[in-house]
Amino acid sequence: MIDLSFPPMLEDLRRTHGARDMDFEMYEAFEHPDETAWWYRLWTGNEEVDGSEFRFFGMEGSGGYTGLWLVREGRPLTEQPVVFLGSEGELAVMATDLGAFLWLVAQGHGPDEVMGWSDDGPCEPDPDALQVARRHAPDACRDPEEILGRAREEFPDFQGYIDAQCR
């Protein structure tokens, strides 16, 4: 049996997430690997990949996936980077870990805001998500620009990694 349950910090965010205007919906649990494989093969056009290096936990309105990229071998899920794979091939490393992602969401930055798609800028800070971030990741409190900058700096090859799998 595959354990698809969220780590406590992500489960707390799921229970409280309700950022007013954020286009981001969390799943009840991580997407099943069979569903990930089906979608990732379709998305990359490559029948030889299965997306097993990802644990998707949410999606935005146009169908882009948000999840963990299991690139830090042997490290817990909470220490894996959070990535976005858009429905039209857009890509972003959103945060270096789940703690930083909590702070992004708490400060009104979901996938649309990270990609620059929101005409109005970030959503209003979410007081419930702020409580979750303070409780689970007090040391990760940084402004969104710093969170995104650290993610891009630490994982500059994400685009190349994905491009190498696409057909």
Side-chain angles (χ1 to χ4, degrees):
M1 185 76 187
I2 300 169
D3 182 9
L4 301 176
S5 60
F6 289 153
M9 65 171 48
L10 201 53
E11 178 60 24
D12 278 0
L13 182 63
R14 184 196 65 78
R15 280 197 307 261
T16 62
H17 178 62
R20 286 145 195 91
D21 297 319
M22 188 178 294
D23 181 12
F24 176 64
E25 179 181 338
M26 290 186 67
Y27 303 150
E28 295 287 319
F30 286 116
E31 182 178 71
H32 193 279
D34 292 344
E35 289 294 315
T36 297
W38 173 84
W39 179 84
Y40 197 63
R41 287 175 179 142
L42 185 67
W43 194 83
T44 60
N46 183 348
E47 286 296 317
E48 297 174 16
V49 298
D50 64 5
S52 60
E53 64 272 41
F54 298 105
R55 294 290 178 273
F56 293 115
F57 59 81
M59 120 182 323
E60 49 81 49
S62 67
Y65 280 38
T66 300
L68 301 174
W69 180 26
L70 307 180
V71 69
R72 292 179 172 148
E73 192 172 327
R75 304 281 289 276
L77 293 175
T78 56
E79 295 179 18
Q80 303 295 336
V82 177
V83 297
F84 173 73
L85 285 76
S87 61
E88 301 297 320
E90 310 89 350
L91 299 169
V93 181
M94 296 178 64
T96 58
D97 56 37
L98 270 177
F101 177 75
L102 291 179
W103 283 101
L104 268 183
V105 171
Q107 296 176 78
H109 286 73
D112 286 3
E113 292 75 21
V114 168
M115 298 305 297
W117 296 339
S118 176
D119 294 335
D120 300 326
C123 302
E124 289 294 316
D126 181 336
D128 294 328
L130 279 168
Q131 290 292 341
V132 172
R134 287 183 183 124
R135 184 170 45 253
H136 290 284
D139 296 337
C141 180
R142 291 175 181 72
D143 64 49
E145 292 75 25
E146 185 176 352
I147 292 169
L148 294 168
R150 286 181 177 207
R152 284 188 295 266
E153 183 178 299
E154 188 171 347
F155 301 100
D157 61 336
F158 185 57
Q159 178 82 45
Y161 175 80
I162 296 295
D163 286 349
Q165 296 183 51
C166 293
R167 301 291 179 253

